[in-house]
Amino acid sequence: MEAARVPPHDPRRRGRSLWLAGGMLLALSAIPALALLAAEPGPPPIAGPISVAKGLQRPLQRATGDFAVRWNGLTGSLTVVDTRLRDQVVFATLPHTAFLAAAQGSMTSHEHIGYFQLGRQRGVTYDAQTVTSFGTVHGAVTIAGTLASSTGQEAAYTLSLAARGPQKLSYRLSVRGGEVERVYLSWRSRRSEGYYGFGVQFSAFDMQGRLLPILVQEHGYGRGVQPLTFLADLLQGGAGGNWYNTYAPVPFYLTSTMQALYSENRGYQAFNLTDPEIGQLEVDGRVARGLIFAGTSPARLLAQYTDVVGRMPALPAWTQRGLIVAAEGGTRTVLHRVSQLLAAHVPVAGLWIQDWSGLQRTSFGEQVVWNWRRSPSHYPHWQRLLAYLRQHRIRLLGYVNPFLVDTGKPAGPQDLYLVAKARGYLVKTTSGRPYAFHYPGRTAYLVDLTNPRTVAWLQGIIRRQLVGNGFSGWMADFGEELPLSASLYRGPSSSAAHNSYPVLWAKLQDAVLRQTGLQGKALVFLRSGFATSPRYATAFWLGDQLESWGPNNGLESSVTALLSAGLSGFTMEHGDLGGYTSLVQFPFRYVRTPALLMRWMEVDAFTPLLRSHEGNLPARNAQIWSSPAIERELTRMTSLYTALAPYRARLMQEAATRGAPIDRPLFFDYPRDPRAYAVGAREFMLGRDVLIAPVYTPNEAQVRVYLPQGTWVEIWSQRTYRTSGGRSLTVAAPIGRPAVFARAGTQAQRLLAGAVSRLDKAGGSSR
């Protein structure tokens, strides 16, 4: 998110601190209750009885494509196998337990600038399943029967299973009659089975034991860390967030037993994995549809999945030449920052300026003007800026989001909000007025991307103002805020329209690149997303992590998010160097320290993109130019990043053709190694040949590492480790020498060895 500059003597700061201090007292008194709430796993899956018609109380089998659907009428259970994969089980249900259910239900929603507080109530539950038919219709295996409630109400159902090409099985559950507003599909799970994917997830990597809703939204400050979350919720309209909040959820998972399922429903849904024996998908509506995939490895399953939702292309080659520097403050300031880094021998690939459209003074501080026109007063001598960047082979990037603000200028084409309002291009309330979003210090209005005229108009603005002014890319921010109860060009909003909005936002960016011939040449990075967003996106970034070390919303959470993103098709994913969100109001102090910034460099140097950010309070944070020591470490990590460009080029090609994640967990390449799953997100791989074990705590100079089977070279000492069955060890990892291992004899090992040798010769040893 864009930086908001708060002046040192902001008159609102004292009042805000007093509010937080009062809230702190409330939070302290409520901590025991908050702990109980945090420990609550959520309601268990619906697991009613199952009964079978007399003619079906025996084993039966039907085929669809390469899949055999086996019915056990004695236990009332289904097993689906892929006959071409030696009868590998791809889906199975629990014996003597209903695998389908339905319910009456209602949902209310309170929205505040991208945070959604949902009230979900379940009424009549149809949890008793009867199976009355099992057969084949038009090539699909169908199971039909009734679902009954404890009060005797009934609804009819049909579950169809049909092959959709090799190793893909579609399912469609339809329920008719009764007061049904939700449907449930259950499957047999195992106590030790790990569930991975689900989009860009921050606080948990393995979702076993959790209830995970799928709804696009802001990801929050504390995300369950107390009392920060409680205070943010209390004072900022739910901004604390929950552990599951994410900008880019995806209804797809793969498991440690090589099961994989993708729900094609777009609206609200939830995966209930709280019972170790039953997994359950809850979908709002009367129809649930999706795909089940067959494969013997995570790589094959992900290839099948990305065949359906789309894959991300390789990044433009220029992005791999070095750091993309975030700077702002006008022409003179940003040129000074770039020249300072160049003098420190930092390879710079791009300059990213968020405030190209100008700054406005608000009660919250100086903020970027959300009126997408270049500001000649804030950035004078524009051609001189472009010429300097061209001289140093540095690309220019900007910023845009789908909001508009009233600039207060006279009505005319300069005020895009007034133009959009007059033409009906804004999201509206149910009463027909533009829907107002009250951000700190400003009121903003969201454009309606379901209106083709709105889309064409905004595409024209981006073409003229960004591409036309020499930008080679931009951050396409936001996309999470569409209310569930707004009025759109296509009709009333809904959870399906809400989850689809980020996809429309990505499609708009893709169309601009196609129209201007910049596809494959420009870098557009998005935050929000849903299942099919990667099909239209150049890159994603992880959003607004707290400037902290922790697993809920800090440095460690960024690695969890990188890995879950990669297992969900978001292959070109990266984060803000050092995090984004600072909090300095009493009693909290979350700011970017030099140590945190340098440790974050050590992670981001092994991602597809390396990009800095000043954060929301630049003056409070350690910046990449704050000291010679930081600049020296930045040079070292950027040198490793640029050295690996040829290796990443190969990985990006694999991502574009097979959907293989660039940053991946150990088990992606070692699916039969139980310890590879146990490692979780404490380590990660860059492709198959580079292993990174980050340091997630301050004042730590060593780390525990698990090396899977193979021969590995520690890049700094060049010491070789051979293991035939995996090996754990403790290695030194001071700042500037992170624990990085390369597979011996590979391209990556040679590239890293050369980079380290050059650093040593240049006298760039770490402190």
Side-chain angles (χ1 to χ4, degrees):
M1 189 184 292
E2 54 139 319
R5 294 170 171 262
V6 180
H9 303 292
D10 180 358
R12 293 190 60 191
R13 177 168 294 165
R14 177 174 173 80
R16 194 155 52 240
S17 297
L18 291 174
W19 272 98
L20 282 168
M24 179 64 175
L25 296 176
L26 290 172
L28 290 173
S29 65
I31 281 177
L34 292 171
L36 290 174
L37 288 173
E40 177 60 45
I46 296 173
I50 189 167
S51 58
V52 181
K54 286 186 177 180
L56 300 179
Q57 294 176 1
R58 57 193 174 93
L60 295 168
Q61 179 171 307
R62 297 289 185 269
T64 174
D66 296 326
F67 295 96
V69 182
R70 296 169 180 170
W71 167 250
N72 187 336
L74 302 176
T75 61
S77 59
L78 280 174
T79 302
V80 184
V81 301
D82 188 325
T83 58
R84 294 188 65 181
L85 295 178
R86 299 181 180 180
D87 281 5
Q88 182 201 10
V89 176
V90 299
F91 184 82
T93 68
L94 194 68
H96 308 293
T97 306
F99 53 87
L100 302 176
Q104 179 189 29
S106 62
M107 182 171 76
T108 58
S109 170
H110 174 73
E111 183 273 345
H112 176 66
I113 58 174
Y115 297 97
F116 291 81
Q117 296 176 343
L118 303 181
R120 290 182 61 81
Q121 293 79 37
R122 190 169 73 203
V124 177
T125 302
Y126 301 77
D127 61 352
Q129 180 184 359
T130 299
V131 179
T132 59
S133 71
F134 176 82
T136 304
V137 178
H138 303 304
V141 179
T142 62
I143 302 97
T146 59
L147 302 170
S149 71
S150 59
T151 58
Q153 296 171 273
E154 286 192 351
Y157 73 83
T158 301
L159 174 65
S160 297
L161 301 171
R164 193 191 292 183
Q167 300 180 341
K168 299 182 183 73
L169 178 74
S170 70
Y171 68 84
R172 187 180 191 276
L173 168 62
S174 175
V175 179
R176 306 171 303 283
E179 298 178 335
V180 171
E181 289 149 323
R182 298 173 190 168
V183 295
Y184 301 81
L185 172 67
S186 301
W187 56 90
R188 185 183 66 201
S189 188
R190 300 179 185 179
R191 188 172 298 273
S192 60
E193 192 167 14
Y195 285 79
Y196 307 95
F198 300 105
V200 185
Q201 297 292 334
F202 295 88
S203 297
F205 185 46
D206 178 1
M207 294 297 172
Q208 174 69 274
R210 297 176 180 264
L211 175 62
L212 178 65
I214 302 295
L215 188 75
V216 174
Q217 54 185 316
E218 285 267 5
H219 92 318
Y221 293 140
R223 301 178 52 80
V225 174
Q226 301 297 357
L228 174 58
T229 304
F230 175 76
L231 288 176
D233 285 343
L234 179 70
L235 304 175
Q236 298 188 41
N242 293 294
W243 68 268
Y244 52 76
N245 278 40
T246 174
Y247 311 104
V250 173
F252 165 78
Y253 68 77
L254 59 83
T255 79
S256 55
T257 62
M258 301 306 115
Q259 310 289 296
L261 181 146
Y262 165 49
S263 169
E264 294 180 303
N265 291 79
R266 293 180 300 164
Y268 179 90
Q269 53 200 302
F271 290 88
N272 193 330
L273 307 173
T274 59
D275 188 316
E277 294 185 335
I278 301 176
Q280 188 169 85
L281 172 63
E282 174 186 9
V283 173
D284 280 10
R286 287 176 170 263
V287 177
R289 60 188 181 275
L291 289 166
I292 297 165
F293 302 99
T296 56
S297 68
R300 292 183 180 180
L301 291 172
L302 206 52
Q304 296 295 327
Y305 168 64
T306 54
D307 268 346
V308 176
V309 298
R311 299 181 178 124
M312 302 184 70
L315 293 169
W318 65 264
T319 64
Q320 306 299 293
R321 294 201 303 259
L323 176 71
I324 296 175
V325 179
E328 53 189 47
T331 306
R332 179 178 297 179
T333 300
V334 300
L335 288 180
H336 171 70
R337 295 305 187 195
V338 171
S339 62
Q340 181 179 349
L341 294 175
L342 292 177
H345 306 291
V346 177
V348 177
L351 168 64
W352 173 46
I353 56 173
Q354 297 182 99
D355 58 345
W356 66 282
S357 58
L359 290 173
Q360 62 183 141
R361 173 73 64 179
T362 72
S363 59
F364 190 67
E366 288 185 336
Q367 297 184 320
V368 172
V369 178
W370 293 355
N371 187 62
W372 311 117
R373 304 181 66 87
R374 181 171 66 84
S375 171
S377 59
H378 193 50
Y379 278 94
H381 314 297
W382 188 254
Q383 293 305 319
R384 187 184 305 171
L385 171 64
L386 294 179
Y388 178 88
L389 297 178
R390 281 195 298 269
Q391 177 186 352
H392 294 278
R393 299 180 66 218
I394 297 172
R395 301 298 183 100
L396 181 65
L397 296 100
Y399 174 92
V400 69
N401 69 49
F403 283 104
L404 299 170
V405 297
D406 190 348
T407 63
K409 297 178 181 179
Q414 299 297 317
D415 192 322
L416 299 179
Y417 158 72
L418 293 178
V419 174
K421 180 181 178 183
R423 297 181 182 179
Y425 290 168
L426 301 173
V427 171
K428 298 180 177 63
T429 64
T430 53
S431 62
R433 296 182 178 180
Y435 201 107
F437 293 78
H438 300 292
Y439 284 90
R442 75 176 85 190
T443 298
Y445 303 87
L446 189 65
V447 296
D448 184 354
L449 297 183
T450 70
N451 185 340
R453 294 183 178 179
T454 305
V455 172
W457 175 71
L458 192 53
Q459 287 172 352
I461 292 169
I462 295 175
R463 285 197 307 269
R464 291 188 299 273
Q465 293 297 321
L466 283 162
V467 179
N469 277 305
F471 289 96
S472 294
W474 50 88
M475 172 188 276
D477 203 358
F478 290 96
E480 305 90 357
E481 293 77 11
L482 180 66
L484 306 189
S485 58
S487 178
L488 304 172
Y489 173 82
R490 291 182 182 169
S493 184
S494 63
S495 61
H498 168 83
N499 282 340
S500 298
Y501 192 93
V503 181
L504 298 177
W505 183 228
K507 289 178 71 173
L508 187 151
Q509 313 305 320
D510 182 59
V512 171
L513 298 185
R514 290 177 182 272
Q515 293 161 5
T516 55
L518 288 178
Q519 197 169 46
K521 302 175 183 177
L523 173 66
V524 176
F525 48 108
L526 301 108
R527 181 178 73 173
S528 62
F530 199 62
T532 57
S533 294
R535 179 181 300 171
Y536 308 104
T538 307
F540 291 92
W541 97 99
L542 298 174
D544 303 344
Q545 277 73 69
L546 197 64
E547 290 166 344
S548 71
W549 299 83
N552 286 76
N553 197 19
L555 171 60
E556 186 174 351
S557 78
S558 73
V559 176
T560 301
L562 278 172
L563 301 187
S564 64
L567 293 177
S568 306
F570 289 61
T571 50
M572 306 300 163
E573 185 74 76
H574 74 293
D576 292 334
L577 195 62
Y580 169 81
T581 304
S582 301
L583 294 173
V584 296
Q585 295 92 349
F586 176 81
F588 304 110
R589 183 170 178 80
Y590 291 95
V591 295
R592 185 193 301 159
T593 64
L596 178 63
L597 176 57
M598 289 188 281
R599 287 301 193 191
W600 218 303
M601 293 175 191
E602 295 173 358
V603 169
D604 286 9
F606 299 95
T607 65
L609 286 166
L610 185 61
R611 179 182 55 80
S612 69
H613 200 308
E614 292 182 296
N616 67 314
L617 298 178
R620 301 275 186 164
N621 290 325
Q623 301 293 349
I624 58 175
W625 46 70
S626 291
S627 71
I630 293 176
E631 289 179 351
R632 185 164 55 249
E633 299 307 331
L634 179 63
T635 301
R636 289 172 59 79
M637 293 304 112
T638 308
S639 296
L640 295 183
Y641 172 80
T642 56
L644 285 169
Y647 174 62
R648 282 196 307 275
R650 196 177 80 219
L651 297 180
M652 287 191 286
Q653 189 60 31
E654 291 177 4
T657 56
R658 299 199 295 272
I662 293 176
D663 289 309
R664 58 185 67 164
L666 270 65
F667 68 71
F668 186 83
D669 291 303
Y670 299 91
R672 292 174 180 82
D673 183 347
R675 284 181 289 182
Y677 295 93
V679 165
R682 295 195 304 276
E683 300 175 15
F684 69 99
M685 305 285 293
L686 176 64
R688 180 179 170 80
D689 298 334
V690 181
L691 184 150
I692 305 96
V695 173
Y696 292 136
T697 54
N699 305 317
E700 188 64 64
Q702 63 181 20
V703 66
R704 191 72 174 164
V705 180
Y706 174 70
L707 297 177
Q709 180 180 358
T711 302
W712 300 90
V713 178
E714 196 273 331
I715 68 168
W716 306 106
S717 66
Q718 293 298 299
R719 181 177 176 182
T720 299
Y721 299 85
R722 293 180 178 86
T723 170
S724 59
R727 176 181 178 182
S728 295
L729 64 153
T730 300
V731 298
I735 288 177
R737 295 173 67 92
V740 179
F741 296 79
R743 190 182 302 278
T746 62
Q747 177 195 37
Q749 191 258 321
R750 292 190 294 271
L751 293 172
L752 287 170
V756 170
S757 176
R758 288 190 294 274
L759 286 172
D760 289 343
K761 289 178 181 178
S765 60
S766 63
R767 57 184 185 178

